[in-house]
Amino acid sequence: MRIATLSLALLLAAGPLEAETRYITDQFEVTLRTGESTQHSIIRMLGSGAAVNLLETNPDSGYSRIQAADGQEGWVITRFLMDAPAARNQLAAARDRLAQAEQQRQEFNQRLTALNEQKSSVEEQNRLLREQAEQLQQEITRIKRTAGKALEIDEERQKLKQYLRTLETDLQKIRAENESLKDRSARDWFMVGGGVLLLGVITGVLAGRMRGRRRSGWEGL
């Protein structure tokens, strides 16, 4: 008895204990009183499972001083305090956590479904882009091939133009030579005709002289 009294004196001398969380028993409501006995007036009733702060405990009286959630202080029977929440409160909390977990799971599944749909959409877009890229590459190849042919055609056209210009030059030269040959032929024919005419005149003159000489000879006979 002396040891208990000494312990209580030491506890009271040390001041109130550091507040710890305790829970009202889940079997019934507990009276919060102004003192450490049933003779003290009731302040209020604390519901089952309510969380309170433990301020101090008196083993001799079997009462503990607590602080309710709203800050009100008083005394309750110590055996009506539990270190853990009431079982039904724990069950309710577990159910709440389970419901939250199920909701989170559903939200996760919805996000996963949305991501899968986005993934499918992205894959389809990538497929279309790959097809467009292949088509563009084919078009570029065709354009390069066509451009190469166009360059070849243009080069061949330039060669043909140069060949035509050469032919035109040669044709002009041939025409000039023909004209020159025509002029030369005309001159040659003119000279031949003049020569023939001159030869005829000379022949006529010579023939007249010869006839005159013959007459003179005959007359001398």
Side-chain angles (χ1 to χ4, degrees), residues 76-93:
V76 296
I77 298 175
T78 303
R79 70 174 179 271
F80 293 154
L81 297 177
M82 300 184 302
D83 294 336
R88 62 184 178 185
N89 290 345
Q90 294 183 20
L91 179 60

Side-chain angles (χ1 to χ4, degrees), residues 153-167:
I153 292 172
D154 185 68
E155 184 178 358
E156 187 67 24
R157 186 170 59 85
Q158 294 296 331
K159 290 180 179 179
L160 288 174
K161 284 184 176 180
Q162 183 64 31
Y163 180 69
L164 288 175
R165 284 195 293 267
T166 302
L167 289 178

Side-chain angles (χ1 to χ4, degrees), residues 79-120:
R79 70 174 179 271
F80 293 154
L81 297 177
M82 300 184 302
D83 294 336
R88 62 184 178 185
N89 290 345
Q90 294 183 20
L91 179 60
R95 287 176 177 172
D96 291 340
R97 291 195 298 271
L98 180 61
Q100 292 177 359
E102 178 63 21
Q103 183 178 359
Q104 291 176 355
R105 186 187 67 82
Q106 292 178 359
E107 291 176 354
F108 175 78
N109 288 334
Q110 291 175 356
R111 290 196 298 269
L112 182 61
T113 301
L115 289 174
N116 287 331
E117 292 177 354
Q118 292 178 0
K119 177 175 176 291
S120 300

